[in-house]
Amino acid sequence: MMFKRDLTQTELTVLDDLLNARRITADLVRYDTGTEPKDLQRAVQHLVDHGCEIEAHPDGSYQLIASGLATWADYLRAHLPSEHKRTVEVYRETASTQDIAKRRAREKLVVIADHQTAGRGRLGRTWVAPPGTAVLMSMTFALTGEQTRVIDRLSMIVSVAIADAIEKMTGHDRVHIKWPNDLYVNRRKIAGILIETDAAQRTAIVGIGINVTLNERHLEDIPAELRNKITSFALCGWREDRLRVIHRVVKRIDALMTSPQLPLIVDEWRCRNLLSEEMTRFQSNGQTIFGQAVDIDPDEGLVVRRTSGDIEQ
């Protein structure tokens, strides 16, 4: 089921205040919108009707516990920068957001799901996330230039953007990147990226999974071999709403994709790179090679030192 849009501007402003201030008062909303207390009550009730969990306090203030899926598309459409405007679609459940985005890869899309029944990762792996605990989304991009190099650059930019967004939201010192698709906090995976391409349409579909509200109870539903390898905002002690994470991440990705400061983005990737000492498997021009990701070149793509000692770009 895809969610429809019907929030008013006042309701969007109240939701924005709730997301960013966590606890709001009638005076704060009156300052932002001119809304009177009775109108604030109506706006809050409408947000609750759309699935938001909002706690009313005796002093007349309101606190957001969790945003409702039915508000996400409206909110993102209103708050993503106009120069990067995307069509936003939100689903309660789908097999994979990648599949939906692939079918319409020429459009500028963000496809989001509360739950995926067949989420996938790199090299045929699956992405496991209990319903309601993760950001699960796909974004589409046009490809220009030589495909392998463009994909390397896209992977670098997306991973740096997600790492930067997490750091700014949480104040965490450093989110590390394990090429090509994993992000780590305290040596545990918090996010993953999957890039798939459509050569005929010259497009890339970027799948993103970020663990947000996953907690100790949810770990009981995770395969045993993964429990000690993953983390989340909640497990790190960071309270964040998934809608706010989506907004910050999409906004940051699109900003870096058009940034003229590519050398600075490369430097950000270098200081986060976890693979300088680790051997791993890479795909290059249809071939699988083993080596170390030692650097990334803005024009040539990933620089890999093979097990033989040879350098591959």
Side-chain angles (χ1 to χ4, degrees):
M1 179 183 75
M2 185 174 74
F3 290 96
K4 304 296 184 181
R5 299 166 169 165
D6 63 352
L7 294 185
T8 67
Q9 184 57 54
T10 296
E11 290 158 358
L12 287 168
T13 301
V14 171
L15 178 56
D16 190 51
D17 285 342
L18 285 165
L19 283 167
N20 292 292
R22 285 295 177 186
R23 188 161 172 167
I24 64 170
T25 64
D27 288 341
L28 172 64
V29 177
R30 186 187 292 113
Y31 177 80
D32 282 348
T33 67
T35 301
E36 295 300 317
K38 62 179 181 179
D39 299 316
L40 172 59
Q41 292 171 5
R42 279 198 293 265
V44 167
Q45 185 57 56
H46 198 212
L47 292 174
V48 170
D49 292 342
H50 280 65
C52 291
E53 295 180 48
I54 300 173
E55 184 176 343
H57 293 275
D59 63 359
S61 65
Y62 296 95
Q63 183 175 8
L64 182 69
I65 307 304
S67 62
L69 294 177
T71 68
W72 287 11
D74 270 355
Y75 180 86
L76 293 169
R77 181 180 61 174
H79 288 88
L80 290 175
S82 58
E83 65 268 26
H84 302 305
K85 193 64 72 178
R86 292 176 174 272
T87 298
V88 180
E89 294 184 356
V90 180
Y91 297 82
R92 184 172 298 283
E93 181 177 283
T94 186
S96 170
T97 58
Q98 288 289 93
D99 294 338
I100 296 173
K102 266 188 172 183
R103 291 193 290 269
R104 295 158 53 201
R106 287 186 180 275
E107 299 178 46
K108 202 169 183 180
L109 287 174
V110 181
V111 180
I112 306 163
D114 184 50
H115 179 54
Q116 294 183 131
T117 58
R120 59 184 180 270
R122 185 169 168 262
L123 302 176
R125 302 185 183 105
T126 58
W127 176 271
V128 180
T133 64
V135 165
L136 303 169
M137 67 181 179
S138 296
M139 301 174 65
T140 56
F141 297 89
L143 288 177
T144 57
E146 198 277 316
Q147 183 165 306
T148 299
R149 294 173 183 174
V150 171
I151 292 172
D152 281 351
R153 183 181 298 187
L154 183 58
S155 183
M156 175 193 67
I157 290 173
V158 171
S159 59
V160 168
I162 295 172
D164 187 60
I166 292 174
E167 289 168 3
K168 284 183 168 58
M169 280 185 285
T170 65
H172 185 65
D173 182 53
R174 180 68 66 194
V175 176
H176 288 97
I177 298 168
K178 183 177 181 181
W179 185 271
N181 67 329
D182 293 338
L183 289 96
Y184 280 73
V185 170
N186 300 328
R187 311 300 290 188
R188 293 190 176 194
K189 181 176 175 178
I190 194 169
I193 301 164
L194 172 67
I195 299 181
E196 298 177 310
T197 59
D198 185 322
Q201 297 191 73
R202 297 293 298 164
T203 55
I205 304 93
V206 179
I208 299 168
I210 306 171
N211 294 324
V212 181
T213 62
L214 185 83
N215 58 33
E216 294 288 350
R217 178 178 56 80
H218 296 125
L219 289 178
E220 298 173 3
D221 299 323
I222 300 292
E225 65 272 16
L226 297 178
R227 290 174 194 164
N228 294 326
K229 297 180 180 179
I230 62 174
T231 191
S232 70
F233 278 67
L235 289 170
C236 290
W238 306 326
R239 184 184 172 192
E240 274 296 347
D241 190 273
R242 287 184 296 160
L243 176 55
R244 190 166 184 263
V245 175
I246 293 168
H247 175 225
R248 292 294 189 91
V249 166
V250 172
K251 183 177 178 180
R252 192 61 180 148
I253 288 172
D254 278 336
L256 291 192
M257 284 295 296
T258 57
S259 171
Q261 303 297 328
L262 188 57
L264 295 180
I265 300 172
V266 173
D267 287 342
E268 286 292 315
W269 178 85
R270 285 175 178 146
C271 72
R272 291 183 169 91
N273 177 26
L274 279 179
L275 282 183
S276 57
E277 302 294 333
E278 187 174 333
M279 304 300 295
T280 193
R281 178 169 51 168
F282 302 90
Q283 293 292 324
S284 178
N285 297 319
Q287 295 182 329
T288 299
I289 62 174
F290 292 88
Q292 298 167 304
V294 294
D295 200 2
I296 195 163
D297 184 280
D299 298 314
E300 300 298 328
L302 189 67
V303 180
V304 177
R305 181 183 293 113
R306 289 177 176 263
T307 52
S308 64
D310 296 334
I311 297 296
E312 179 88 18
Q313 289 187 325

